[in-house]
Amino acid sequence: MKAVRTDRELECPGIDAGLRARGVELVTLPDGIPEADLITAVADADLILMCYTPITAHVIDAATKLKGIVKYGVGIDAIDIQAAMRRGIPVVNVPEYAEETVAEGAFTLMIALAKRLQAITAAVSRDGWIWPEQRWLGRDISGATLGLVGCGRIGRSMARMAGQGFRARVLGFDPNVDAAAMRQAGIEKIDHLRDMLRVCDFVSIHCVLNEATRGLIGRAELACMKSSAILINVSRGALIDEAALVEAVVEKRIGGVGLDVYSQEPLATLGHPMSALFGRDNVILFPHLTFFTAEAMRRLEEDTLARCFEILDGRPVTIRSLDPRLRAQTAGVVFG
């Protein structure tokens, strides 16, 4: 058996060791590998593991022995699932390993911006001390209004932290979650996104990327927000019109931004569409690492290996995701 794991920059020693212990020949490839080189590597592969690298129809068609594709993570936008389905090749992700972890990351970004943590610690590191001048004035989470764009598992975890933990008012926009379910999670359902954005002190995005949600937070939505509002995104970069976001920050039409995800990754301080956001004390740019804790990585490695072994053993692979793209599969899968 041969497995190819892309994106080796994301170190997963448990996955690599587990596959090799089962006698699997493992090839690891770097992020950004050209499609032609990837096609060569997977030509005789039984299994592809990917995190960020696109697995296109060309790649799938070239892998004549392929038994399955495992996304060691959540998002599946970079996989041509239709091409895999045409060949009866199951695609699976690991959807549950970091739900609380990513919610904690989003809350960390929010509270750090609210308390001016980045600006104040930079000033103290430079000057040794600062006095309580207006420019260092922070804000409370308690009594503020948090709006959630997406109220799935991560969004509900965020709601619990803000509502029960900090006594914030929590609003939610999610056409796929009814008011009763939101109410049970401590969230007040709002039917129209812009209506919610107008009243929020903080907005945190927690939804999947698809054709309906691409650019969901656009120029008009940003214009609805308070000039003091703080926007957090730990989901997918393309959920926001990033050019419009950069303009809103530069022109001081929004109070602050905490980002962990970007349409174009990795970031760069120069020559990147988001480069203008570097060095601003009301912006935190995190390198897509809110998921990256010891506990979450242990869960990720264990679940990934379980899915790999199901595929390599010829058993149906367990789909735990509720994503309809994965739920539409009929070959080689079982739904858990």
Side-chain angles (χ1 to χ4, degrees), residues 309-321:
F309 293 158
E310 287 171 345
I311 292 169
L312 294 174
D313 291 344
R315 293 178 280 141
V317 65
T318 304
I319 306 292
R320 291 206 171 98
S321 173

Side-chain angles (χ1 to χ4, degrees), residues 290-307:
T290 53
F291 72 93
F292 197 58
T293 67
E295 295 83 1
M297 289 304 294
R298 184 175 60 249
R299 292 189 292 268
L300 175 64
E301 292 186 328
E302 290 173 352
D303 286 356
T304 298
L305 281 175
R307 304 291 79 78

Side-chain angles (χ1 to χ4, degrees), residues 149-276:
V149 182
C151 298
R153 294 187 183 106
I154 298 175
R156 291 195 294 269
S157 292
M158 184 77 167
R160 188 192 69 247
M161 295 174 193
Q164 296 181 27
F166 282 73
R167 298 193 298 278
R169 179 190 181 198
V170 182
L171 310 180
F173 170 79
D174 191 328
N176 301 310
V177 180
D178 63 33
M182 285 197 194
R183 193 161 46 247
Q184 188 173 10
I187 305 168
E188 180 184 339
K189 182 177 176 67
I190 305 296
D191 291 325
H192 300 287
L193 176 58
R194 293 180 192 176
D195 289 345
M196 184 181 79
L197 295 176
R198 288 187 181 97
V199 300
C200 289
D201 302 294
F202 304 94
V203 176
S204 192
I205 303 174
H206 301 282
C207 57
V208 299
L209 176 65
N210 54 41
E211 288 312 306
T213 60
R214 187 176 298 274
L216 183 65
I217 304 296
R219 198 173 302 275
E221 286 72 28
L222 290 166
C224 288
M225 296 175 64
K226 297 179 181 180
S227 61
S228 59
I230 289 172
L231 176 65
I232 306 297
N233 187 15
V234 297
S235 294
R236 290 291 179 270
L239 294 165
I240 300 177
D241 179 338
E242 292 174 324
L245 177 63
V246 170
E247 289 178 10
V249 172
V250 170
E251 296 171 8
K252 299 182 179 180
R253 290 186 277 107
I254 190 171
V257 179
L259 303 175
D260 185 45
V261 289
Y262 314 89
S263 294
Q264 181 181 318
E265 297 181 1
L267 284 175
T269 55
L270 296 173
H272 189 280
M274 309 291 279
S275 293

